[in-house]
Amino acid sequence: MTNTVSNAAGNPSLPAHSDRIRVDLQLIADMVEPGTRVLDIGCSDGELLGYLTRTKNVDGRGLELSNEGVRNCVAQGLPVMQGDADRDLGDYPDGAFDYAILSQTLQATHRPKEVLSELLRIGNKAIVSFPNFGHWRARFDLMFRGRMPQNPNLPIMWYETPNIHFCTVRDFVALCNEMNLKIERSMVLNESGSRVSMDSHSGFANFFGNQALFMLSK
């Protein structure tokens, strides 16, 4: 039998969980203020959304493409709908959320620029994370092995990966500048989840950063 606990809002439907989550998700959670409205897009099995609901009493919603992910979230009592970031964000009204979160999903969208614009239409702030294709391992694989990168951060072979729009940290910063978006916070992480550099614009961060996290606003 599954144990349940009440969250800060008194919701008894959420199963008991450990409050230890993936390092990058913890850093995203640290950016979110308690009691705010959150949309987690591409929420997978609900690890981040569940954590925010339990520990920060957010009014959280999720959007997930996979049937399995939606089932896992619903089984935890999380309000998650099946949907596609490329097609379904237009259904949400302007300013519906304080935060729109897109974790490790931007590179799998067909129209990343339009998705980013939608995040900041429906959310006052957007939190985005993605693998850095400028990492030295990716460069090594392309330059010396002549092969598409495969590593712990990009584990799926090129012919099976859902990732279709890779970018580097510098590419993402350039896109934010092109769209006149304000980078409120940013950090670049190495393979162990430690911060590489506080300056996401630096060549050092672009070379050694395994993944990047950004908080954006208009």
Side-chain angles (χ1 to χ4, degrees), residues 84-93 118 121-122:
D84 187 332
D86 279 306
R87 296 193 304 265
D88 297 322
L89 294 181
D91 295 337
Y92 293 95
E118 281 291 272
R121 181 187 64 79
I122 63 178

Side-chain angles (χ1 to χ4, degrees), residues 4-14:
T4 59
V5 293
S6 296
N7 66 1
N11 183 350
S13 64
L14 297 177

Side-chain angles (χ1 to χ4, degrees), residues 6 19 22 37 46 60 75 140-141 150 155:
S6 296
D19 282 334
R22 217 170 64 209
R37 301 163 299 160
F140 181 91
D141 285 343
Q150 186 181 21

